[in-house]
Amino acid sequence: MALAPSLQFLGWAGNPLALAADALVERYGEGLGRVLVTVPGARVGRGLAGELRRAAAERGLRAWTPPRVLTQGRLVDELLELDRPTADRAARTFAWERALVETLGAGGAANDLFERVPPREDRVGWWRLAERVRTLHAELADEGHDFAMLAAPTDGTTTEREVRRWAALAKVQKRWREQLDACGLADPHDARNAALAAEHIDRAHAIALVGIVDGPGLLRRALELRVTLGAPPDAFVLAPEREREGFDALGFLVTEHWRQRALHLAPSGAAPLSRWHVVRGPLDEAELAARIVAHRVGGAADPLGDLGARGDLGARRDLGARRDLDASDVTIGVADEAATPFLERRFAAEGVRARPAAGEPLERTPPARLLASFAAWLDGRAAATAAELLRHPDLERALDRRLQPAGPAPEAGLAADLASSLDETPEPRSIPALLDRVRIAHLPERLDVDSELPIGVHSEDRAPLLALFGHLRALAGALLEPRAMPLRAALEAARALLVDVYDGHSLTDEGEPARVTREALAAIGEALSALEHVPAPLAGEVTPSAALELLLHALRGRAVPPAPDAQDVPTIELLGWLELPFDPAPVLVVTGFVDGSVPTVPGADPFLPDSLRGRLGLEDDAHRTARDAYVAATLVATRSVDFVSPRRTREGEPRFPSRLAFHADPEEVLRRMQHALHPTPLATSATPAPRARSAAPYTRPTLRPRGVPSVFAVTDFAAYIESPYRYALERLLRLREVDDGARELDAASFGDLVHDALSVLSEPALATCTSEAKLHDAVLARLDGIAELKFGRAPLPAVAMQIEQARLRLIDFVPWQAQRALQGWEVVHTEWAPSERAVDGQMLRAVPLPMPRSQPAAWLRGKIDRVDRHRATGRIAIIDYKTGKRAKKPDDAYKATSRKKDAEREWVDPQLALYCLLASELLGSDERPPDLGYLSLTPDGSVWSPAPDTWHSGDVIGSAVELAVHIVSEVRAGALDALGNVRHFKGLAADLIGVGFVVAPEGDDDETLEGSAAGAASHGGEA
């Protein structure tokens, strides 16, 4: 007669790890050394080992040997005795890939399995399919199922299409096993099932299951075989005896019991909903978590009783000042990983480290990111991916070492060395700055070590860029080969790349960055070795980019362990949901208590829908719900726990509280529904909590540029009028945000393209030309020449389309120009600037502003798009080109202050009027005012909008000059703090002043950038 398993209930009173250790020592005594202790996870195992030493010492055990502590996955391999070497995950995946390609390529089976299959040469695409099928096989094999078994259903519930699908997979599986067999390898899942069927199982060791309440079918079947053979396991269940109905003979959960069991969200004696908090989103979630910790540990005011309370978590002495608890007694449960960065930032603001116990995902570490950037660049050599690659700080340092063997100078850095071959040494610049400058100006589609740069790339940029790519070519080595190569050779090239990049890197430093890099390189080395040992018949040949992608796939799911505690920094652990039951911390806050996280809701599975999973005994929704109900009940019963449910994601998508929150009788469910519909507001109160640090209001940086400017561009004044603060950022401090993801011309660059094409009109043969055909050919030829010069012969598709848009606008312009020539006007200048003169020790094209005698001299500089002269009258016309979507009128620059008929006007943009002062040397002694106007080259045609006569008769021009003088005085006096119109603050500039946080954003209009101060520098003026 088979012996029954021993079932011992640890209870819910006390430290779970201590309870388990005491029970194990009591059960086995000095015989612990022959026991295989199985725990839910490696972290539990580490904690249990320490508690076992404590328990053994307390009971006076002397001649005892610690047991082997295993995870449940490792236990299966310890129990079953396999008779053949097994293939590792990489080899199995390659075998699946080859089997899929060979089988699906032989017929129409692909339609039965997948909607589409990748091309034969797409190794990464096939690898992804192989991973999916490998995972499917493993999950079914753990329950003793096979694809062929599912292709022959006996219950009549499988459709004809599903039968065809499983039959197709069975063919692939048969070919896959043949592939492994040819290499002398076996699948570990098949080998385990074979060992189980042959009863090749270890009986020498005692088995102790500690907190194992669920597991794969293979584990259950192995344990049941041990029971049959008279060697049953001992199960130590984290629950009291009164919960016996919720567990079977092995200590596994009884699904229906826990699905139907009511869940209390607060400990006995507390208000039923006092520990369940519904908040608006992740920011409030992190804020409330910090307040709860301060209240439970530091004795701060009730986080909900005083809405102004902020937890005083700033130092360890504060955390433990009021009770005998500190940060080590607190755990934050993270059921939804999206909350992690919010929690880290919120606790960091209080001087507390929130440490994810899972560590840093390997794919986020610098070496893995370098491999990912290289793979992306190799696959197409796009300019955008080149910029991302060369921005990697570790690669930049490696290039620095190659360009400067003696070590980078502390001031000049890489730039001076890059420019050493140039006739003129430019200002110091970094690799990203060099790439940004070339990409913004020329928008190349590709940046390759062998690619041809656009002709218009300046020599000061061309030489450094070519030198840079030469060294990149040496670093990349064989990875630049365009053809496929054996996998091993490609991986050797990847290894050589990492060695070259990190040779000389400060890997021995004690800091966290160096530790993460060391750990990551070690893990990547292991993955490289695993892939290099894949049998050659399975590995085949791959392109270098595909090899890097395969390596990155092999790294998924792995992590760099978290850094150890720092003595001077309080640390709070962030743990996943399933790790929480055995965590010993007495204070717990569970974040992400929402459906989809507790319990998880996996995406739709076309192979294993939930109904089929239930029939096959696989983990399904019912099982996950029961497991998570048990976890929640355990948490409430064993410690101080608060649950936090955010109503929305960071992106604003709705979230719903965990369905477990509604496991109650109908009347209580109604109360909980009402509670869930009213999120807790966490608005700041004027009354701070005792000893809590009040939140400092956000203050934007005060701008105090060094030096007083003496030269002003004609575009500066509109920028100042719109926003003095932004003017100081962009015009005085020369700060700008670079968009390295540009795939098309911005409004300013598009305007430059049109302006440059129209500059041909000043040539003598065209200045008075009335022939539309001649004008047409000349203007479009100039456009084509400029486009090829700037963007090469094969510009980006969007840029090519914009060039065609510019062509259409110029074609519409030609009749207007011919008609103007017929009216007697000739083009005398394009892109005109004043004559050079000495200004502050340098030669500038500028004219003096009429400053008061009490102030230093100031100068006005700029360029006028076009100057015409009437051949008969000698009258001068100053024309400013505009390329916005709508025609611009001078009245847009000199607007009425209200809608009243006689309302006063004020300057929004005095640039056009200031041209009269700028062009004073052209006008000479002529008392007649020049014609002023905008020529708008819109998509709907060219529109000439002259300034009204009142600009001259009412001394409007003079008021523009007076305004310019006044603004110069204001700038020199430091009047730069006013925000003005924040409508055009975007990106980092908006973040800097707090738009959307402390500054209300204004409604935008559909003016183009060209019509704003930001674009004015490239449209009729010089910044």
Side-chain angles (χ1 to χ4, degrees):
M1 180 177 178
L3 297 175
S6 168
L7 204 60
Q8 181 171 343
F9 291 88
L10 301 176
W12 277 338
N15 180 336
L17 291 175
L19 293 173
D22 291 339
L24 287 169
V25 171
E26 181 71 25
R27 172 71 176 84
Y28 300 108
E30 294 184 349
L32 273 170
R34 66 179 182 83
V35 182
L36 297 179
V37 176
T38 309
V39 294
R43 187 173 185 272
V44 176
R46 291 191 295 271
L48 180 61
E51 289 292 341
L52 282 172
R53 290 191 294 270
R54 187 265 314 158
E58 288 179 355
R59 283 163 177 76
L61 298 184
R62 296 181 179 180
W64 76 288
T65 302
R68 292 185 62 193
V69 181
L70 310 170
T71 60
Q72 53 192 11
R74 291 285 306 277
L75 176 63
V76 172
D77 289 329
E78 289 291 333
L79 288 179
L80 298 174
E81 300 167 354
L82 309 186
D83 58 0
R84 292 185 64 187
T86 58
D88 62 16
R89 188 175 69 171
R92 299 198 308 274
T93 307
F94 275 102
W96 277 115
E97 178 209 356
R98 183 170 290 274
L100 282 166
V101 170
E102 293 178 358
T103 307
L104 300 188
N111 292 330
D112 293 325
L113 291 180
F114 310 107
E115 291 185 4
R116 57 179 296 276
V117 294
R120 177 63 187 88
E121 64 275 7
D122 183 5
R123 291 293 302 274
V124 177
W126 284 101
W127 176 274
R128 292 193 181 104
L129 295 183
E131 283 187 318
R132 176 68 188 95
V133 177
R134 186 201 72 221
T135 304
L136 180 65
H137 161 78
E139 193 171 10
L140 289 168
D142 276 345
E143 296 294 339
H145 302 304
D146 191 83
F147 293 164
M149 294 169 55
L150 295 176
T154 58
D155 56 3
T157 59
T158 308
T159 66
E160 182 180 347
R161 186 173 188 276
E162 289 172 336
V163 170
R164 291 200 310 270
R165 173 179 292 174
W166 291 115
L169 279 173
K171 292 180 182 178
V172 176
Q173 190 178 53
K174 180 176 182 294
R175 181 63 185 135
W176 166 73
R177 286 179 173 137
E178 292 171 354
Q179 299 275 5
L180 291 180
D181 188 63
C183 297
L185 299 172
D187 171 56
H189 305 285
D190 286 351
R192 291 170 190 144
N193 279 315
L196 195 61
E199 297 186 354
H200 292 167
I201 191 167
D202 173 85
R203 304 180 215 179
H205 293 86
I207 304 297
L209 306 175
V210 177
I212 304 298
V213 296
D214 67 349
L218 186 62
L219 174 62
R220 174 185 285 274
R221 288 184 287 127
L223 294 174
E224 289 173 344
L225 177 60
R226 289 259 310 199
V227 172
T228 302
L229 297 176
D234 296 322
F236 297 84
V237 180
L238 184 57
E241 178 73 30
R242 65 177 181 274
E243 298 288 349
R244 178 177 287 273
E245 291 184 3
F247 302 91
D248 64 13
L250 291 172
F252 285 25
L253 295 174
V254 176
T255 299
E256 285 307 309
H257 173 86
W258 290 100
R259 285 186 67 199
Q260 298 172 9
R261 184 184 186 280
L263 174 63
H264 300 288
L265 296 175
S268 177
L273 299 178
S274 61
R275 295 299 190 91
W276 178 35
H277 316 285
V278 181
V279 296
R280 291 172 297 191
L283 282 172
D284 284 357
E285 185 177 27
E287 173 64 28
L288 183 58
R291 295 188 190 185
I292 290 171
V293 171
H295 174 63
R296 307 279 184 234
V297 175
D302 189 325
L304 302 181
D306 180 354
L307 297 181
R310 296 178 74 246
D312 188 6
L313 308 177
R316 194 178 188 88
R317 57 182 174 79
D318 292 326
L319 277 168
R322 298 170 181 83
R323 301 181 185 179
D324 59 347
L325 300 175
D326 61 17
S328 64
D329 296 302
V330 178
T331 292
I332 304 294
V334 183
D336 181 0
E337 290 184 358
T340 298
F342 295 94
L343 292 165
E344 289 178 318
R345 285 196 293 268
R346 178 61 187 87
F347 280 96
E350 302 292 348
V352 176
R353 179 185 176 204
R355 178 178 64 181
E360 178 77 4
L362 198 55
E363 58 263 30
R364 297 182 191 172
T365 61
R369 288 182 182 273
L370 175 64
L371 293 175
S373 296
F374 245 107
W377 176 61
L378 291 174
D379 189 14
R381 316 289 174 93
T385 56
E388 179 183 348
L389 171 65
L390 291 168
R391 267 182 167 77
H392 195 290
D394 295 343
L395 180 61
E396 188 173 355
R397 279 191 288 269
L399 290 168
D400 260 327
R401 291 195 298 271
R402 285 177 170 265
L403 290 162
Q404 303 180 49
E411 293 292 335
L414 172 68
D417 186 80
L418 286 176
S420 61
S421 61
L422 304 179
D423 295 333
E424 297 181 7
T425 301
E427 295 181 1
R429 53 194 175 184
S430 65
I431 289 176
L434 171 64
L435 291 171
D436 287 339
R437 190 162 50 252
V438 172
R439 290 187 63 212
I440 291 172
H442 305 284
L443 290 172
E445 184 170 12
R446 288 166 53 92
L447 275 179
D448 194 1
V449 292
D450 300 314
S451 63
E452 180 181 351
L453 296 174
I455 300 172
V457 175
H458 196 277
S459 61
E460 291 186 354
D461 289 333
R462 180 181 295 274
L465 199 57
L466 293 177
L468 178 66
F469 278 123
H471 290 293
L472 181 61
R473 183 189 297 109
L475 271 177
L479 290 175
L480 293 176
E481 290 293 330
R483 295 177 297 276
M485 62 180 70
L487 175 65
R488 188 180 184 89
L491 295 174
E492 287 174 353
R495 190 188 297 274
L497 168 69
L498 291 173
V499 170
D500 286 346
V501 168
Y502 289 99
D503 180 33
H505 198 79
S506 300
L507 296 178
T508 57
D509 291 351
E510 295 183 359
E512 180 65 4
R515 185 194 71 85
V516 169
T517 299
R518 285 195 304 271
E519 297 275 3
L521 288 172
I524 292 172
E526 294 174 5
L528 280 167
S529 296
L531 289 173
E532 287 169 344
H533 284 86
V534 172
L538 297 180
E541 293 190 339
V542 295
T543 62
S545 63
L548 294 180
E549 289 280 2
L550 296 178
L551 176 57
L552 291 167
H553 273 286
L555 300 176
R556 287 186 177 176
R558 303 182 62 179
V560 172
D565 290 349
Q567 292 184 353
D568 57 341
V569 180
T571 300
I572 291 177
E573 295 283 357
L574 305 183
L575 292 183
W577 171 252
L578 296 180
E579 297 177 280
L580 296 176
F582 273 91
D583 180 69
V587 176
L588 171 65
V589 180
V590 176
T591 62
F593 192 60
V594 293
D595 221 39
S597 297
V598 182
T600 56
V601 179
D605 189 334
F607 292 102
L608 293 174
D610 198 69
S611 58
L612 179 57
R613 298 183 71 89
R615 294 200 304 272
L616 296 176
L618 303 176
E619 182 184 84
D620 60 357
D621 184 68
H623 178 84
R624 287 188 295 271
T625 300
R627 179 199 61 202
D628 291 348
Y630 160 75
V631 171
T634 301
L635 298 181
V636 172
T638 55
R639 69 210 71 192
S640 167
V641 59
D642 289 82
F643 298 94
V644 185
S645 303
R647 287 290 303 274
R648 293 192 176 275
T649 66
R650 176 183 180 179
E651 294 77 22
E653 296 295 324
R655 299 299 302 268
F656 301 96
S658 169
R659 74 187 76 166
L660 300 183
F662 305 104
H663 280 208
D665 61 69
E667 185 177 346
E668 177 63 16
V669 168
L670 269 178
R671 282 196 294 270
R672 295 185 184 186
M673 284 291 294
Q674 292 174 340
H675 180 77
L677 292 173
H678 297 89
T680 301
L682 295 180
T684 302
S685 167
T687 306
R691 291 179 58 84
R693 298 181 300 185
S694 58
Y698 175 78
T699 303
R700 67 179 181 273
T702 300
L703 306 181
R704 292 294 179 264
R706 296 178 182 177
V708 178
S710 59
V711 181
F712 292 78
V714 290
T715 59
D716 284 348
F717 305 102
Y720 184 88
I721 292 168
E722 184 178 76
S723 171
Y725 195 83
R726 180 170 176 155
Y727 163 82
L729 281 176
E730 297 179 349
R731 304 302 177 100
L732 300 183
L733 297 178
R734 303 290 180 183
L735 301 179
R736 65 192 181 102
E737 183 175 1
V738 175
D739 180 11
D740 64 344
R743 302 285 295 172
E744 60 183 18
L745 301 178
D746 60 16
S749 299
F750 180 79
D752 287 342
L753 181 64
V754 175
H755 281 59
D756 292 343
L758 292 174
S759 65
V760 72
L761 295 176
S762 60
E763 294 180 359
L766 299 174
T768 59
C769 180
T770 59
S771 167
E772 291 188 18
K774 188 174 181 180
L775 289 168
H776 177 279
D777 293 343
V779 172
L780 296 188
R782 175 63 66 90
L783 174 68
D784 291 338
I786 292 170
E788 182 175 343
L789 186 72
K790 295 181 89 171
F791 311 116
R793 297 178 181 178
L796 290 169
V799 175
M801 183 175 295
Q802 289 176 302
I803 293 170
E804 291 306 308
Q805 291 173 342
R807 185 187 307 277
L808 293 175
R809 297 198 191 189
L810 292 173
I811 290 172
D812 288 341
F813 160 81
V814 164
W816 182 91
Q817 175 59 30
Q819 184 62 33
R820 185 167 177 83
L822 285 173
Q823 294 171 356
W825 291 95
E826 65 175 324
V827 181
V828 292
H829 298 289
T830 57
E831 300 297 319
W832 180 88
S835 301
E836 284 190 342
R837 65 181 73 203
V839 176
D840 295 338
Q842 58 179 331
M843 299 302 293
L844 290 180
R845 294 180 177 272
V847 298
L849 279 164
M851 301 300 297
R853 292 184 179 181
S854 60
Q855 292 194 28
W859 304 83
L860 182 70
R861 65 180 175 87
K863 287 183 180 180
I864 298 176
D865 291 341
R866 171 171 162 176
V867 179
D868 286 5
R869 182 177 59 224
H870 197 275
R871 294 191 298 276
T873 65
R875 187 174 182 82
I876 297 294
I878 293 175
I879 298 177
D880 195 15
Y881 292 131
K882 297 296 178 185
T883 53
K885 294 181 180 179
R886 299 181 304 182
K888 190 173 178 65
K889 300 178 180 180
D891 279 345
D892 296 332
Y894 188 57
K895 290 186 174 181
T897 56
S898 70
R899 295 185 178 182
K900 295 181 180 179
K901 184 176 182 180
D902 298 327
E904 293 185 1
R905 290 178 174 268
E906 61 181 21
W907 284 106
V908 175
D909 182 0
Q911 177 181 332
L912 187 60
L914 290 176
Y915 281 155
C916 293
L917 176 62
L918 190 70
S920 54
E921 68 180 82
L922 284 179
L923 301 177
S925 59
D926 192 346
E927 296 181 355
R928 294 173 300 176
D931 288 352
L932 299 172
Y934 295 133
L935 179 57
S936 299
L937 282 73
T938 73
D940 298 324
S942 298
V943 180
W944 167 243
S945 301
D949 293 338
T950 54
W951 276 33
H952 300 288
S953 61
D955 198 23
V956 174
I957 303 298
S959 70
V961 176
E962 291 175 2
L963 176 61
V965 169
H966 174 72
I967 289 175
V968 170
S969 301
E970 290 286 292
V971 171
R972 288 174 168 176
L976 304 171
D977 295 326
L979 287 181
N981 185 351
V982 300
R983 179 178 55 193
H984 294 295
F985 277 85
K986 307 293 183 185
L988 291 178
D991 294 340
L992 187 67
I993 67 168
V995 170
F997 296 94
V998 296
V999 176
E1002 298 185 17
D1004 205 353
D1005 59 17
D1006 60 352
E1007 289 283 349
T1008 64
L1009 179 63
E1010 183 272 336
S1012 71
S1018 297
H1019 299 279
E1022 179 184 319

